[in-house]
Amino acid sequence: MLGMQSSTPAPRATGRPRSAAADAAILAATREALVELGWSKLTLSDVATRAGVAKTTLYRRWAGKNELVVDAVAELFDELELPDCGTLGADIEGVVHQFAAILARPEAKSGLMAVVAESTRDEALRERIRASIVDRQKRLVLEGRARAQARGELPPETDESEASRTVDLIFDVVAGAVVHRCLVSAEPADAAWVHRFTTVLVAGLAAASAD
Amino acid sequence: MLGMQSSTPAPRATGRPRSAAADAAILAATREALVELGWSKLTLSDVATRAGVAKTTLYRRWAGKNELVVDAVAELFDELELPDCGTLGADIEGVVHQFAAILARPEAKSGLMAVVAESTRDEALRERIRASIVDRQKRLVLEGRARAQARGELPPETDESEASRTVDLIFDVVAGAVVHRCLVSAEPADAAWVHRFTTVLVAGLAAASAD
DNA sequence: TGGTTTCGCTACGAGTCGTAGCGTAATGGC
DNA sequence: GCCATTACGCTACGACTCGTAGCGAAACCA
């Protein structure tokens, strides 16, 4: 369940417990508001009304708009999974497809980019994004590599830090390219584009690892 | 000089002309405010004060915060140029270095991502970004390809639309990866990373174009 | 039942937004 | 040199959002 709620104030054994249903309703309402209003016109008052809770309840659980949207968007990426298509290239292509599908949704577009922009001046927020979204999905790269190694498509890594840098590079290239395609170029990451991109990436990795 | 100012209301031959010095002061003040305050806390009142102009002057020239920041950020990318390093790989590496250097500046980070986020719900703004920044820098890819063809590193393109799609792909991969590295991963795109990335990209393009 | 925490509601001061109105400054046409 | 036209600086304004405080009621545990 994500990286837990905002502050995680050491769940006390006494007193009235926080409503878990309210959490779900609030995050869903946040995504709904992102679709209808976008980031800039989204207000916490509006989210509270949509979720059927009081505005004060929101401020008790989240520090502000930024943290709330991070949690709301993070849930979107939890449905990502690595398909087993037989080859490394096909596996990557499958994940890129899923990733592109999520980024095609308006709540992901406006929400994700906005919090990333805010995170450039907020260290804590950047850490929250990393923990809730980035590192959480890096598992896909690790799993894909392990599978490719088991198939014999990739050699087992010798240098640990070297392998770690490769994972980071792959993640930056894949996530960055898809995001740029969907948001900046504003053109669909359709099957043809995904195939083309995946071909270049896999070929490049193979050639570079041969050094 | 960029894509001209906001509306370009058909420069009339009569009446008091708009101060060009004010334009420069306003855009510089906008970047300064982006550094000190970031996107969310930047107000047009503050920019006006910094630039030494009245708030109303800002609203007469730009529709709002979004358009102003696009123009202010676009100027940052105009200093990009393609170095002639002898090989395609080295040329690309040089441009990626410059791009990473610009994205390391705080006014570029917070400003660029914020307007991209806003553009997901504003077609006119997205078009403004494309005209002022994206398409404007795509010349680098075109120039690099032409140079590589002159050197014999790349074959002359046969299919026009095919070549166009390749340019778009390269741009998405390069810009996307660097942005993701600098903003989301929040780690420096240093020489080692740039070299590594460029190697994978060039190798991938070479292998893919061999099909 | 008593202690503790959450929840819904209301109200509030502080701050920002974008615009209107007015007098003044700077240009070109005659 | 005068006039029409446009830009500029300044002030003031209503509308809106923000985040918080204070209260009584509800839900849980011992």
Side-chain angles (χ1 to χ4, degrees):
Chain A
M1 272 299 289
L2 291 180
M4 284 166 288
Q5 231 46 268
S6 53
S7 48
T8 319
R12 319 189 192 290
T14 177
R16 176 176 176 174
R18 284 189 172 176
S19 164
D23 269 357
I26 291 170
L27 292 177
T30 303
R31 287 187 289 269
E32 185 184 313
L34 276 176
V35 174
E36 292 182 21
L37 307 172
W39 164 267
S40 58
K41 293 182 180 175
L42 179 149
T43 69
L44 293 200
S45 304
D46 186 85
V47 171
T49 304
R50 291 172 189 267
V53 302
K55 185 174 61 162
T56 45
T57 298
L58 278 175
Y59 282 102
R60 289 191 187 102
R61 303 192 185 193
W62 284 276
K65 193 168 156 177
N66 294 336
E67 291 76 9
L68 174 63
V69 172
V70 170
D71 285 1
V73 171
E75 284 188 339
L76 294 175
F77 292 94
D78 276 344
E79 62 191 54
L80 282 174
E81 55 183 24
L82 189 69
D84 196 335
C85 303
T87 68
L88 176 60
D91 284 0
I92 294 180
E93 199 166 329
V95 167
V96 173
H97 258 124
Q98 294 178 41
F99 190 52
I102 294 177
L103 274 186
R105 298 160 71 174
E107 66 270 35
K109 282 185 192 172
S110 51
L112 183 62
M113 280 297 96
V115 293
V116 167
E118 288 301 307
S119 76
T120 61
R121 299 190 52 81
D122 186 336
E123 175 64 32
L125 183 64
R126 182 162 53 230
E127 203 47 50
R128 192 190 189 89
I129 293 174
R130 199 206 302 266
S132 299
I133 304 179
V134 182
D135 286 349
R136 219 175 149 65
Q137 305 308 332
K138 213 166 262 183
R139 62 186 165 85
L140 298 168
V141 180
L142 295 172
E143 196 177 334
R145 185 183 62 185
R147 231 184 245 169
Q149 287 172 338
R151 291 196 195 103
E153 291 180 281
L154 288 179
E157 64 265 22
T158 54
D159 187 345
E160 181 55 39
S161 71
E162 179 73 9
S164 171
R165 279 196 293 270
T166 301
V167 169
D168 289 345
L169 178 64
I170 294 174
F171 199 82
D172 283 331
V173 171
V174 171
V178 175
V179 167
H180 198 277
R181 170 77 177 181
C182 295
L183 272 60
V184 181
S185 297
E187 292 181 33
D190 52 20
W193 185 88
V194 171
H195 183 71
R196 199 182 178 80
F197 165 67
T198 306
T199 302
V200 172
L201 176 62
V202 173
L205 291 174
S209 71
D211 294 346
Chain B
M1 272 297 289
L2 289 181
M4 284 168 290
Q5 232 45 271
S6 52
S7 48
T8 319
R12 320 191 191 290
T14 178
R16 175 177 176 175
R18 285 190 172 176
S19 165
D23 268 358
I26 291 170
L27 293 177
T30 302
R31 287 188 289 269
E32 184 184 314
L34 275 176
V35 174
E36 293 182 20
L37 306 172
W39 163 266
S40 59
K41 294 183 180 175
L42 180 149
T43 70
L44 292 200
S45 305
D46 186 83
V47 171
T49 303
R50 290 172 189 266
V53 301
K55 185 173 62 163
T56 44
T57 299
L58 278 175
Y59 282 102
R60 288 191 187 101
R61 303 191 186 195
W62 284 275
K65 193 167 154 178
N66 294 336
E67 291 76 10
L68 173 63
V69 172
V70 169
D71 285 2
V73 171
E75 285 188 337
L76 294 175
F77 292 94
D78 277 344
E79 62 192 55
L80 281 174
E81 56 183 22
L82 190 69
D84 196 335
C85 303
T87 67
L88 175 59
D91 284 3
I92 293 180
E93 200 167 327
V95 167
V96 172
H97 259 124
Q98 293 178 43
F99 190 52
I102 294 177
L103 275 186
R105 297 160 71 173
E107 66 270 35
K109 282 186 192 173
S110 51
L112 183 62
M113 279 299 96
V115 293
V116 167
E118 287 301 305
S119 77
T120 61
R121 300 190 53 81
D122 185 336
E123 175 64 32
L125 183 63
R126 182 162 53 229
E127 203 48 49
R128 191 190 190 89
I129 293 175
R130 200 205 303 264
S132 299
I133 304 180
V134 181
D135 285 351
R136 215 174 152 64
Q137 305 309 332
K138 213 168 262 184
R139 61 185 167 87
L140 298 168
V141 180
L142 295 172
E143 197 177 334
R145 185 183 61 186
R147 229 183 248 170
Q149 288 172 340
R151 291 197 194 102
E153 292 180 281
L154 289 179
E157 63 264 23
T158 53
D159 186 346
E160 181 56 37
S161 69
E162 179 75 7
S164 172
R165 278 195 294 272
T166 301
V167 169
D168 289 345
L169 177 64
I170 293 175
F171 199 83
D172 283 330
V173 172
V174 171
V178 175
V179 167
H180 198 276
R181 170 78 177 180
C182 295
L183 273 62
V184 181
S185 296
E187 290 181 34
D190 52 20
W193 185 89
V194 171
H195 182 71
R196 200 183 177 79
F197 166 68
T198 307
T199 302
V200 171
L201 175 62
V202 173
L205 290 173
S209 72
D211 294 346

